[in-house]
Each structure stands twice: as structure tokens, then as C-alpha cells.
Amino acid sequence: MRLLVTRPQPQADAWVQRLAAAGFDAAAVPLLHTEACGDVASPTATALLAAAQGVVFVSPGAATHFFEQGAGAPWPAQRWAAAPGPGTADRLQALGVPAGCIVQPAADAAQFDSESLWVQLRPRVQAGDRVLIVRGDGGRDWLADILRAHGAQVEFLQAYRRGAPRLSPAEQAQLQAALADPAAHLWLFSSGEAIGHLQTLAPGADWRAGLALATHPRIEARARALGVGQVFAARPSFEAVVAAARDIAKTP
């Protein structure tokens, strides 16, 4: 069984390398394309960052595009950086944010998402605090709404744009192989939007023999709505995905 990583690049290739090192046959089929936008480098963005007590990065891509545009370094010790899951937290640390500044859900949280992140943020946020949320073009507003409800002043900063996948010839060939033999491939879905793009890339495909591993209940529901025959769930950490994929491989 081949595992298909659908995260945007370069995250997809990084996951493929880690999965290969763990003994899996894996390939990248990135079902989202992201690219930096210029908002991060603007004078307005610089002023928002300077005034913020904390910054929320919604994904590894948000962190990457933010820092690659020259923002945030060096990171001041008094400013917290929030991550909804371990992937984003690890990326922030790799980009130079001190581990002591990073806030993330508890390791045993039921899900890695905004709701679990808020449990850890709540003791830190005071009325009047300025919080900057770094994200792509759009997204859930749940965390912003609850921050505002507790008196924080919230601003958004767009660090990247999301768009339809731009598959290379090798990635396109891998997609066709998966469509031809769905039972021999396990899709790793970490985004509901990616599933929507897959449906556009393969209109009319029969997914009843397909296998998917989803990293959040909302993504799991989206995969079932697509018609995927067997949908499994795992938390979005690498270790949890590996454990779940090994269990799936043993399933008759």
C-alpha cells in the first residue's frame, strides 16, 4: 500500500521523506498550492507585529511564508507564538522562535485545532491585548471571535495565498495510478479544501474502493462525503499518522 501525502509543497516532500525513513512506500500528490503574498512586508504589517502581545500561526505554511518574507526575526522573548498543532510548533522552532515562547495544545488533547489551542491560550490573554493571526486567504474565525469575546484586539495578516494544485508530471502520474488502483493507495488528508480539489481533478471518479486517513473529524466527514469507501482517523502528529497507517496496513 502506498501512502499519498496531500499537503502543499514543500511540506509534502518533507512528509514523504519522513515516512520513507519509517519504512513506508510514500509519494506526494499535493492537493493545495500556496505562495507568499506581499502583505507581511508592508509598513502596516510591521506596525501590527510590533504592537502584538502574541501571534497565532494557523499552519506550518503560515509560519514559513511569514518568516521567509523577513518578518519576526529575531523573536522577542516577551511575545508568545501560538500553533494549533505540533507541525506548526515544530516549524516555528525551526524558524527561530524560542521553544519557551510557543503555545500549543496539550500533547494529549483530543484534537489539534483552534479549540484545543484556546485552552492553553486562555490564561495568557488579557483584556486589551493585541493579537495578530497569520493565515492564508480566509479560514475559520472561531479563535478570533473568542479572543475578541475575552477583550483582545485581533488583527489578521495574510502571509500566503491558497490555490488549486499544480501537479508535476510525476505527481499527475501518481494521481492516475491511485485512480486506477484505489485499494492499493492510502490518501493522507490534512485539509478539507484539498479533498475538494481532488474531486475537481478527478470528476466522476468512483471512490468506493478508496482508503483515506483524515487528521480531523471535519476532514473525515468531507472524505466520507466524497464517497471514499474506508475512512480512518488519526491526530495530525507524525507519530499518530504512522501508528494509524500501520494499523490500516494490517487490516484485511
Side-chain angles (χ1 to χ4, degrees):
M1 184 176 61
R2 172 166 286 185
L3 278 63
L4 302 179
V5 181
T6 61
R7 291 171 176 267
Q9 294 289 19
Q11 295 177 47
D13 282 345
W15 269 71
V16 167
Q17 291 173 8
R18 293 183 71 187
L19 287 166
F24 289 95
D25 177 12
V29 184
L31 293 177
L32 279 172
H33 175 76
T34 66
E35 59 184 18
C37 65
D39 290 1
V40 170
S42 70
T44 299
T46 300
L48 289 173
L49 178 62
Q53 277 73 45
V55 182
V56 178
F57 296 89
V58 303
S59 67
T64 297
H65 289 300
F66 179 84
F67 282 90
E68 286 185 348
Q69 293 180 69
W75 193 265
Q78 70 275 14
R79 181 190 297 144
W80 51 260
T88 305
D90 290 347
R91 187 63 184 139
L92 285 171
Q93 194 166 352
L95 289 164
V97 179
C101 295
I102 298 173
V103 184
Q104 60 179 311
D108 60 352
Q111 300 294 335
F112 294 134
D113 55 17
S114 294
E115 288 82 351
S116 295
L117 175 58
W118 173 243
V119 174
Q120 304 301 318
L121 278 181
R122 177 65 189 94
R124 294 173 177 262
V125 176
Q126 307 296 320
D129 281 357
R130 294 178 178 270
V131 178
L132 185 62
I133 298 180
V134 179
R135 64 179 184 176
D137 41 346
R140 292 181 72 215
D141 289 338
W142 183 91
L143 186 58
D145 290 342
I146 199 165
L147 283 164
R148 289 181 177 127
H150 284 79
Q153 300 178 51
V154 179
E155 299 286 349
F156 292 105
L157 179 62
Q158 183 183 344
Y160 65 99
R161 300 182 186 91
R162 296 191 305 270
R166 302 177 184 180
L167 299 182
S168 69
E171 292 162 351
Q172 181 65 43
Q174 182 56 70
L175 170 61
Q176 295 305 316
L179 293 173
D181 191 2
H185 296 81
L186 174 64
W187 292 90
L188 304 182
F189 289 134
S190 56
S191 163
E193 188 176 358
I195 296 173
H197 287 309
L198 179 59
Q199 189 171 15
T200 300
L201 287 170
D206 185 351
W207 293 100
R208 287 175 294 179
L211 304 169
L213 179 57
T215 59
H216 193 279
R218 286 191 295 271
I219 303 170
E220 183 180 353
R222 188 77 178 266
R224 294 188 188 282
L226 178 64
V228 178
Q230 295 187 72
V231 183
F232 304 89
R235 298 162 77 207
S237 70
F238 180 78
E239 294 75 14
V241 167
V242 164
R246 285 180 173 147
D247 286 343
I248 294 167
K250 297 174 186 176
T251 302

